[in-house]
Amino acid sequence: MKKGVALFLLILSFLFLIIVIPKGNTVFAEDTEADDTEENLDDAVNDTLDGLDLTGFDELLTLLKEYNDVTVANSIRTLVNDILAGKSEFDFSYFAKFCTEIVLGETVNILPQLLLIALFAFLYSVLQNLNSGFSSSSTQKILYLACFGLVVTVIGAMTAKNITSAVKTFEFMGKFSEVSFPIMITLVTALGGSASAAVYQPMILIFGNVLIVLIKTVIMPLFYITFVFSIVGHLSENVKLDKFSKTVKSAAEWITGIAFGTFVTLLTSQGITGAGLDNLAIRGAKFALSSYVPIIGNYLKDGFDIVLAGCIVVKNALGLCAILILLFAVLIPLLKTVILMLGLKFTAAVLQPLSDEKFSSLLYVVADSFKILIVAVLCAAFAALLIVMMIIYTCNFGVI
């Protein structure tokens, strides 16, 4: 009986050695393999970053600091590493707080100027009522021209800052196109996205050399014309330029909408098609490696996956960095222009029952002309953002 029990225990011990211990070794092997894969991926990412010239991105960060007084990161390499490590602070709450600070700060900045405009308009109304029975029509005109000139001077000073900021934004977008897109296209080409690269390259040239130039040489002069004619049309009752001003404003909006609408349509239709073709090509190359290369085919396929994964990680991280830079470059001038437009319209609404109708109409028409700037900035930003998003989307299925 004792021998039977001893034999039973011996058999159980043997089964334990066969079943349990190999499982433990397998788990250890799987953990080791996972660690090796992660280490190989980190090496591939670092090698890819080391092979890229990122000085252009660093120049964009410097320009962003110079134009908008915003520091995103000390260097683009630091920003990429933070994004890959999950340490980036740029989430929805950050941008909500950022936009709130801009709105409140700009409102405080323009409030004294808006009050000054309201004061001049109200002063004209008071003086006109006091002297209406004692002064001649020529005196009334002189009084109007004096108050009108003061109001236009304040509006001109406020508008000049926004125009300068908008022009710098368009210049920044041109530089952004020259610097960021070629690097990301290089990564797409390295991933085997030749069809997508063939689509994106002419689109990038169109964006930087046609659309941005169109804004600077056509849209901005049309804005200047609209702004000036809005002021001149209220200089005297004998000058009627409101219809002409509305026509020029409408022409600027139509040109912007047609140009950017055509660009976005071509980019999305051709870009999606090119991305699909490249994904099929990459899958075919991986299948050929694993199926037609004897013995070492699977090992080559695994190495191919690691290299592709490293390029994809770097491409998407740089794409996210480009989106962040673009958002910071656009949000500040855009919000400032919107706040100025709303401030002028609100002042016009307040002055309508308190002052002469010409001042209220002047402020409202001038504020309405800022829509040209807002539409131009939004369209340019959306086109650049769409290019970046399409590049991020391209070749992401290469490792699946």
Side-chain angles (χ1 to χ4, degrees):
M1 183 67 181
K2 293 181 179 180
K3 292 182 178 180
V5 174
L7 180 61
F8 180 74
L9 294 176
L10 182 62
I11 293 173
L12 285 179
S13 301
F14 182 75
L15 291 176
F16 177 81
L17 291 174
I18 294 176
I19 297 174
V20 178
I21 293 180
K23 283 187 177 180
N25 289 335
T26 302
V27 172
F28 178 75
E30 289 177 354
D31 291 341
T32 304
E33 184 178 355
D35 292 339
D36 291 340
T37 302
E38 184 177 355
E39 183 179 354
N40 291 334
L41 180 59
D42 291 338
D43 292 339
V45 169
N46 291 327
D47 291 341
T48 303
L49 285 173
D50 292 337
L52 296 174
D53 183 10
L54 301 177
T55 55
F57 271 98
D58 293 330
E59 292 178 4
L60 290 179
L61 295 178
T62 303
L63 285 177
L64 194 61
K65 173 66 175 177
E66 179 182 348
Y67 288 168
N68 294 336
D69 195 22
V70 175
T71 302
V72 180
N74 295 326
S75 67
I76 195 66
R77 185 70 179 263
T78 302
L79 184 58
V80 169
N81 290 332
D82 289 342
I83 290 174
L84 295 179
K87 299 178 181 178
S88 178
E89 62 177 348
F90 304 110
D91 54 5
F92 177 79
S93 60
Y94 177 90
F95 278 102
K97 180 181 178 182
F98 180 77
C99 293
T100 303
E101 291 176 353
I102 293 175
V103 171
L104 294 178
E106 187 62 17
T107 302
V108 172
N109 288 335
I110 68 172
L111 187 58
Q113 296 166 309
L114 294 177
L115 291 176
L116 193 61
I117 292 174
L119 177 62
F120 290 145
F122 186 70
L123 180 63
Y124 170 76
S125 179
V126 172
L127 293 176
Q128 184 186 30
N129 292 330
L130 289 176
N131 299 324
S132 58
F134 305 99
S135 60
S136 62
S137 60
S138 59
T139 305
Q140 294 285 342
K141 290 181 179 180
I142 294 174
L143 180 62
Y144 172 75
L145 290 177
C147 294
F148 182 85
L150 293 174
V151 170
V152 170
T153 301
V154 177
I155 294 176
M158 299 169 67
T159 304
K161 295 180 180 179
N162 286 77
I163 292 176
T164 302
S165 180
V167 171
K168 287 183 178 180
T169 301
F170 295 131
E171 292 176 354
F172 184 89
M173 287 187 184
K175 183 67 175 179
F176 177 85
S177 176
E178 296 175 2
V179 169
S180 61
F181 292 148
I183 295 176
M184 289 186 284
I185 290 297
T186 300
L187 291 172
V188 169
T189 306
L191 287 167
S194 56
S196 298
V199 171
Y200 295 143
Q201 285 178 350
M203 290 297 171
I204 292 170
L205 291 176
I206 292 174
F207 174 79
N209 298 332
V210 176
L211 295 183
I212 299 299
V213 174
L214 177 69
I215 290 176
K216 295 169 66 175
T217 59
V218 177
I219 305 302
M220 290 301 295
L222 289 178
F223 167 74
Y224 299 147
I225 292 173
T226 303
F227 181 78
V228 172
F229 282 4
S230 298
I231 294 176
V232 174
H234 291 80
L235 187 61
S236 173
E237 295 181 354
N238 299 325
V239 180
K240 305 292 184 181
L241 293 174
D242 55 334
K243 296 293 188 295
F244 187 81
S245 177
K246 291 179 180 179
T247 302
V248 174
K249 176 177 173 291
S250 178
E253 293 176 350
W254 273 97
I255 293 173
T256 305
I258 292 174
F260 283 94
T262 304
F263 174 81
V264 169
T265 302
L266 292 175
L267 176 64
T268 52
S269 59
Q270 296 184 15
I272 293 174
T273 303
L277 294 175
D278 290 331
N279 288 330
L280 291 176
I282 294 173
R283 291 174 185 270
K286 291 168 58 179
F287 177 79
L289 279 176
S290 59
S291 301
Y292 299 111
V293 178
I295 302 176
I296 62 172
N298 288 327
Y299 295 101
L300 292 177
K301 175 180 172 296
D302 293 339
F304 186 64
D305 283 342
I306 293 295
V307 174
L308 286 180
C311 286
I312 289 173
V313 169
V314 173
K315 173 178 69 70
N316 294 348
L318 283 177
L320 185 55
C321 292
I323 291 175
L324 288 174
I325 293 173
L326 186 63
L327 286 177
F328 280 112
V330 170
L331 276 177
I332 295 177
L334 183 64
L335 289 176
K336 287 184 177 181
T337 305
V338 171
I339 293 301
L340 176 59
M341 182 185 71
L342 295 178
L344 290 174
K345 287 190 174 183
F346 179 78
T347 307
V350 172
L351 287 178
Q352 188 174 19
L354 301 177
S355 181
D356 191 276
E357 177 66 23
K358 293 189 286 293
F359 287 99
S360 176
S361 177
L362 169 66
L363 294 178
Y364 194 89
V365 172
V366 168
D368 207 46
S369 66
F370 282 103
K371 289 182 180 179
I372 300 176
L373 275 183
I374 295 173
V375 170
V377 172
L378 281 176
C379 289
F382 180 75
L385 181 63
L386 188 60
I387 295 175
V388 176
M389 294 298 293
M390 292 295 294
I391 293 176
I392 291 176
Y393 167 79
T394 303
C395 299
N396 279 352
F397 299 105
V399 295
I400 297 177

